[in-house]
Amino acid sequence: MKAELALGARLGVQRAALWAMAARGDDLARLVSAPWRGNPYPVYKRLREGAGVHRSSTGLTVVASHELCSKVLRDRTFGVRTADGVEPPPFAASGLPGGVPVIPSFLELDPPDHTRLRALARPAFSPAKIAGYRHDVGGVASKLMVPLLFDDDFDLMAQFAAPLPIAVISSLLGVPDVDATVFARYGRVLGASLDGVKSVRHALLVRRANRELRGLFTRLIAERRANPGRDVISTLAASAELTELELATTCELLLLAGFETTINLIGNAVWTFARNPDQWDRLRADDTLLGPAVDEVLRYEAPVQMTARFAHEDTEIAGVPVAKDGMVIVLIGAAGRDPAAFDRPDEFDIGRTGQNDHLAFSSGAHYCLGAPLARLEAEVALRVLSAHFPTLNVVGTPRWRPTTVIRGLRSLRLHH
């Protein structure tokens, strides 16, 4: 109880301080505070002004232009941990005692550990391997669609956008008896923790999710070692290059990253097409636009809006000094709307050609390992939906997640 009270008091002070900064006009503080975070694009526009790099009153440096975001993500001067490899305590571990130890996954490691662990997982997510899953993904999507055709209206997020990638990544890993509702809850809870733990209740939910996932994969790893199959867990469990904790955290990362981003990609796509019915008509008339449509959604309404890097030496960004171990916030969502990189950036155009690459899957050493799978699932989802829905009729007002790093819908109801 004492730990809970102390955590609650600390979080309350942090929230009040951030809101005060936001009220005084600090744009980074506004991105993580209501009501500004609901529509971050006007804030992004201000942050792109000038050189596209700003020093926030929070003490962090923010980059918002496409050029600078790409530079920081690719530059080996910056890493995901401090120069000595010691990262600030993970949000999930900074609250209450008695939780599962939070060991960084390779997503949170710099070379050489990042390189070693990523190489072990890479074969399961190669473009050639992913292409072979297209038929199976289509089968899952079609099966999920059948009951929806008999409902007057349905929640796209709960009944289609979440179950599809959860079923796919669970099958790929070899996770049996999947409860999509429970796994989607894990994704929401742990995805929200990327913003930082918001309350004592959130800290407890994060601890519970970590504990349950660790228990699940500890059991599955032991089972696969006794009776290996052709799934990814079996392959990783057979490797002598992973410690027990590295194996567990890698499996947890592949599961969560394998569905959480894609859930929001599908939801953001459908919401964006619902607001741009002319583009939906174009897609339905020409399925060669499926791939470009997915990339345009990723540019226009990225599921992951920001990430962070630490400077590994004293450096500067467009003339703004950044001290060693200084944190830089990279605004992926702002880069996607940069008029210096994209013509008509605030327009949604699935026929867009000759443009810069979006940064929705990051860039450089930490480019998303699961990008080919996410693209495939989103293409299949849009293909199935476009075959059955000549128009996207939204019921009521969509519910957005109250988060900043992850931009996505909690609920989006459609009717026939």
Side-chain angles (χ1 to χ4, degrees):
M1 179 62 70
K2 184 180 294 186
E4 292 181 18
L5 290 173
L7 176 61
R10 187 168 73 249
L11 293 174
V13 170
Q14 291 173 356
R15 283 196 303 271
L18 272 173
W19 197 91
M21 292 179 195
R24 290 195 298 268
D26 185 88
D27 282 321
L28 180 59
R30 288 188 169 189
L31 288 175
V32 298
S33 304
W36 300 278
R37 70 177 172 221
N39 178 18
Y41 298 106
V43 179
Y44 291 158
K45 183 178 180 180
R46 289 194 297 273
L47 286 167
R48 284 194 303 265
E49 292 175 353
V53 56
H54 298 269
R55 182 64 54 78
S56 166
S57 56
T58 62
L60 306 180
T61 303
V62 186
V63 292
S65 72
H66 185 280
E67 179 184 2
L68 292 182
C69 287
S70 180
K71 180 182 184 300
V72 171
L73 292 174
R74 294 171 184 270
D75 191 342
R76 294 299 180 92
T77 303
F78 298 93
V80 296
R81 301 175 74 81
T82 49
D84 59 4
V86 178
E87 187 184 21
F91 292 123
S94 63
L96 304 173
V100 173
V102 179
I103 306 300
S105 67
F106 66 77
L107 190 67
E108 303 159 297
L109 294 172
D110 288 318
D113 287 330
H114 170 266
T115 307
R116 173 177 60 87
L117 296 176
R118 183 183 173 99
L120 293 171
R122 185 185 296 118
F125 295 90
S126 68
K129 190 89 168 178
I130 296 303
Y133 302 144
R134 184 175 292 272
H135 179 268
D136 292 340
V137 175
V140 174
S142 297
K143 184 178 179 180
L144 289 169
M145 181 56 58
V146 170
L148 306 184
L149 299 177
F150 297 94
D151 291 338
D152 289 336
D153 64 74
F154 62 93
D155 187 344
L156 176 88
M157 304 308 296
Q159 295 173 259
F160 186 78
L164 173 60
I166 288 173
V168 171
I169 193 63
S170 298
S171 175
L172 182 61
L173 289 173
V175 180
D177 305 321
V178 171
D179 186 328
T181 301
V182 172
F183 276 30
R185 173 172 56 81
Y186 290 154
R188 287 194 302 271
V189 167
L190 296 174
S193 71
L194 296 174
D195 288 4
V197 172
K198 299 297 180 64
S199 65
V200 171
R201 179 177 180 274
H202 186 201
L204 291 168
L205 289 173
V206 168
R207 186 177 69 178
R208 177 182 173 184
N210 277 319
R211 183 174 61 244
E212 292 178 359
L213 282 170
R214 184 63 50 83
L216 169 67
F217 281 108
T218 298
R219 175 175 59 82
L220 289 176
I221 289 165
E223 291 176 0
R224 295 302 188 279
R225 281 184 169 146
N227 297 290
R230 301 178 64 183
D231 54 81
V232 174
I233 295 177
S234 296
T235 301
L236 293 174
S239 172
E241 298 183 52
L242 289 163
T243 68
E244 291 298 309
L245 283 173
E246 287 174 340
L247 177 56
T249 55
T250 297
C251 289
E252 291 164 14
L253 169 66
L254 295 178
L255 175 70
L256 290 167
F259 70 75
E260 176 63 6
T261 299
T262 310
I263 290 173
N264 296 300
L265 172 55
I266 294 171
N268 291 359
V270 173
W271 171 239
T272 302
F273 273 113
R275 291 182 298 154
N276 294 273
D278 61 316
Q279 299 297 305
W280 187 241
D281 291 340
R282 289 180 70 185
L283 184 67
R284 294 187 69 248
D286 183 1
D287 63 5
T288 66
L289 289 172
L290 282 166
V294 171
D295 276 310
E296 179 68 348
V297 173
L298 287 162
R299 178 197 73 82
Y300 184 82
E301 198 75 272
V304 178
Q305 292 277 303
M306 66 175 67
T307 188
R309 294 291 186 268
F310 292 95
H312 283 181
E313 59 188 55
D314 290 343
T315 186
E316 56 85 26
I317 302 173
V320 175
V322 180
K324 180 180 178 179
D325 291 336
M327 183 183 286
V328 178
I329 303 299
V330 181
L331 296 180
I332 293 168
R337 301 285 189 101
D338 187 350
F342 304 98
D343 296 333
R344 302 169 288 105
D346 293 321
E347 293 182 26
F348 180 66
D349 178 5
I350 64 174
R352 189 180 293 277
T353 58
Q355 303 287 287
N356 290 274
D357 293 334
H358 61 73
L359 302 175
F361 288 126
S362 192
S363 190
H366 283 273
Y367 184 81
C368 178
L369 185 66
L373 181 59
R375 279 197 172 96
L376 170 62
E377 291 171 322
E379 287 181 26
V380 169
L382 289 175
R383 184 189 295 276
V384 170
L385 287 163
S386 65
H388 294 286
F389 292 89
T391 58
L392 295 170
N393 300 309
V394 176
V395 180
T397 302
R399 291 172 55 205
W400 288 86
R401 296 187 184 193
T403 53
T404 298
V405 175
I406 300 293
R407 182 163 173 81
L409 292 154
R410 179 70 183 269
S411 176
L412 177 64
R413 299 202 68 85
L414 300 180
H415 72 86
H416 298 287

